[in-house]
Amino acid sequence: MIVPSLPFTRAAARPDAPALRDDRLELDNAGFAAAVAAAAVRLQAAGVGRGDVVGLLLPNRAELIVGLFAAWRLGAAVTPINPVLTPVEVEHQVRDADVDVLITVDGTAPIDGVRPIAADDLGIGAPAPADPPPAAELGPDDLALLIYTAGTTGKPKGVMISHGNIDAMTASFIEHLDFGPDEHSLLILPLFHANGVVLGTLTPLRAGGQATIVGRFKADALFPAVEKYRPTYFSAVPAIYAMLSALPDDVEPDTSSLRLVVCGAAPMPAELIAKFENRYGVVLVEGYGLSETTTASTINPVAGPRKPGTVGRVLPGQQIRIADSDGNDVPAGATGEVLIAGPVVMQGYLNRPEDTAKTLVDGWLRTGDVGRFDEDGYLVLVDRVKDMIIRGGENIYPKEIEAALYENPDVFEAAVVARPHPVLGEVPIAYVSLNPNATTNTASLLAELPEKLSRYKIPVEVILLEEIPKNPVGKIDKPTLRRRPETAG
């Protein structure tokens, strides 16, 4: 496997070349390898070994990437954890992934039974250890990442990404995007997502380039970072491009270092693509993928022709079919479910054999997305089979919110749907009907949610109805709710 050994192969070839930085520290290749070796010593002392899972409960900072490579050196997998999750949500991921050691900012763990390590105690900046742990022999099927994605059952599930998946995905990006040793990523997406880890960090490192990690995204701080660090690309979601396009007219940054920018996570209006490209003079390529495909399966070509309104061509090494409900290919140009195959497709969902069997069928990943290929072989996404809401690039499944609402005994029925938003793309709103003699109200229902859900999952509005509409077979009729004026915004 190529990627796990990158800190050491890079140090051997070009020890003084830049590798990784954030706003606190800067590592060349030799320093990066020394940091990974020191962190591996610390993790090994904490009992981490082959087959274990290390949790990374950190904001965007260099220690997260160092910890990832250190765990891989020992043969362990990692699961990055969103630092804004509630303690209940963190505990679910930690328990589900069977995490024993958790790297945190302050060296404390929010749950019992887990050994914490402070990020500052990983040994970054210290001399390289004289006798670092030997590199574990890793094969393509060995588990590398557990990326947690919202589940239709209301609980996030762990997407099992192997080292073979990562090697295939990074190679595919390098070929399609023509990355080389001069590539420099400005990482603005969160590192608990596959995009931030794989496209934002591992791919430029494999290409021989470098990655600069910034903290939480702020629209007025991005272009100053571009001018300071001179990256060649960054990856973002439509909401970020909308905010950048809405900056005051007197914001005229020097974007000459940027060769391209990438957009994913949600469909981006063609008008917004044109607005961003025309204002800032940067090529924007839109793509499509899932955590289950280790980041992406299609991207528009950098050199063109680029087709706004599509998510581009199939990436090297992957296959996409458009199928009917029985899994049969539809006629050319017809609409159906998007199915994906290739070495980037996940191993499955951790501890969820039934979900895995429903999603991976005869070697094909059933995405739940509806699309078609145009006459030039570009993928056009038409709709989503699933009810997932994408708020500023964050995936939200309504059932998780509905489950939280149902914990209030006054709630009889709850249904969550998406409301369009000009910047975030979509936001959740909840329709609720109450039991007889209920005493709760919408304010009380909303006030209960911050203890159960991350802030981005909380509905922007709770609307009380005497009765939630049903379809002829008695199921909640979400299409009718989506047509209500409160939903349309």
Side-chain angles (χ1 to χ4, degrees):
M1 295 288 93
I2 295 173
V3 173
S5 62
L6 281 176
F8 304 94
T9 56
R10 287 169 57 98
R14 300 173 62 202
D16 297 330
L20 186 69
R21 73 170 61 80
D22 60 17
D23 57 3
R24 300 166 53 254
L25 58 87
E26 185 171 346
L27 299 172
D28 60 16
N29 283 334
F32 185 31
V36 170
V41 170
R42 181 70 179 89
L43 290 177
Q44 187 179 57
V48 175
R50 189 178 186 91
D52 291 332
V53 178
V54 174
L56 303 172
L57 182 59
L58 294 170
N60 275 19
R61 54 192 288 180
E63 288 90 343
L64 193 153
I65 300 302
V66 170
L68 177 145
F69 276 102
W72 286 350
R73 187 168 181 86
L74 299 173
V78 299
T79 185
I81 303 171
N82 185 347
V84 306
L85 293 181
T86 65
V88 172
E89 293 168 319
V90 171
E91 181 165 10
H92 165 75
Q93 183 169 339
V94 167
R95 301 297 188 205
D96 191 66
D98 197 20
V99 169
D100 290 320
V101 172
L102 187 66
I103 301 175
T104 65
V105 173
D106 59 2
T108 63
I111 58 176
D112 296 330
V114 176
R115 287 167 288 175
I117 297 177
D120 288 341
D121 291 340
L122 291 176
I124 297 176
D131 189 21
E137 293 186 9
L138 297 170
D141 294 331
D142 284 317
L143 183 64
L145 283 174
L146 281 170
I147 299 292
Y148 273 74
T149 183
T152 55
T153 60
K155 286 292 186 181
K157 50 191 176 185
V159 176
M160 296 189 292
I161 297 175
S162 70
H163 284 285
N165 293 151
I166 291 174
D167 265 23
M169 188 73 261
T170 52
S172 185
F173 278 138
I174 288 170
E175 180 179 347
H176 184 79
L177 299 173
D178 193 26
F179 280 179
D182 293 330
E183 225 58 63
H184 182 179
S185 165
L186 185 71
L187 181 69
I188 61 175
L189 292 179
L191 280 167
F192 56 84
H193 280 181
N195 191 314
V197 174
V198 180
L199 176 56
T201 310
L202 299 181
T203 298
L205 291 178
R206 179 173 179 175
Q210 58 182 299
T212 293
I213 301 171
V214 299
R216 176 174 290 186
F217 168 78
K218 296 180 180 178
D220 59 358
L222 184 135
F223 286 124
V226 168
E227 294 177 330
K228 177 180 179 180
Y229 296 114
R230 310 303 293 160
T232 59
Y233 80 100
F234 62 81
S235 181
V237 298
I240 287 177
Y241 291 111
M243 287 185 274
L244 294 175
S245 297
L247 288 171
D249 292 341
D250 60 357
V251 176
E252 299 178 349
D254 177 4
T255 60
S256 59
S257 69
L258 291 171
R259 187 169 66 87
L260 73 150
V261 295
V262 183
C263 182
M268 186 167 178
E271 297 80 7
L272 180 55
I273 294 175
K275 183 178 181 180
F276 181 88
E277 288 189 333
N278 293 336
R279 176 168 180 181
Y280 296 115
V282 180
V283 170
L284 190 155
V285 292
E286 186 177 10
Y288 161 71
L290 308 91
S291 298
E292 289 86 343
T293 61
T294 318
T295 304
S297 293
T298 68
I299 298 180
N300 268 277
V302 178
R306 301 189 307 278
K307 300 182 71 172
T310 80
V311 289
R313 294 179 179 269
V314 181
L315 290 176
Q318 301 189 48
Q319 299 170 273
I320 293 183
R321 295 168 49 218
I322 307 298
D324 61 22
S325 58
D326 295 323
N328 301 312
D329 290 349
V330 301
T335 296
E337 184 177 5
V338 178
L339 307 185
I340 302 173
V344 302
V345 172
M346 67 170 182
Q347 294 180 319
Y349 296 114
L350 181 68
N351 303 324
R352 295 177 182 244
E354 293 184 0
D355 287 339
T356 299
K358 292 176 183 177
T359 304
L360 298 178
V361 181
D362 297 328
W364 292 87
L365 175 76
R366 300 195 61 172
T367 67
D369 293 313
V370 178
R372 61 178 174 84
F373 281 112
D374 71 7
E375 65 279 4
D376 297 315
Y378 288 66
L379 182 63
V380 179
L381 295 180
V382 177
D383 203 346
R384 292 192 296 273
V385 174
K386 303 170 185 176
D387 290 331
M388 185 174 69
I389 299 167
I390 302 178
R391 180 179 189 169
E394 296 287 352
N395 295 346
I396 302 170
Y397 277 90
K399 284 192 176 180
E400 186 178 7
I401 304 172
E402 292 161 4
L405 289 166
Y406 276 121
E407 291 182 21
N408 186 308
D410 281 348
V411 172
F412 175 64
E413 287 182 322
V416 174
V417 294
R419 171 188 288 170
H421 190 279
V423 173
L424 298 175
E426 297 175 331
V427 292
I429 65 168
Y431 290 95
V432 173
S433 64
L434 301 178
N435 287 307
N437 304 317
T439 58
T440 193
N441 55 35
T442 57
S444 298
L445 290 172
L446 281 171
E448 295 171 0
L449 294 180
E451 295 182 359
K452 307 170 185 176
L453 300 169
S454 300
R455 186 172 61 179
Y456 70 86
K457 300 177 185 177
I458 295 174
V460 297
E461 186 176 4
V462 174
I463 300 168
L464 292 181
L465 299 178
E466 290 188 8
E467 183 179 359
I468 302 292
K470 310 291 192 306
N471 64 20
V473 296
K475 293 183 179 180
I476 289 177
D477 188 356
K478 287 193 174 181
T480 293
L481 291 175
R482 294 187 183 104
R483 291 192 292 268
R484 291 179 63 94
E486 302 99 329
T487 307

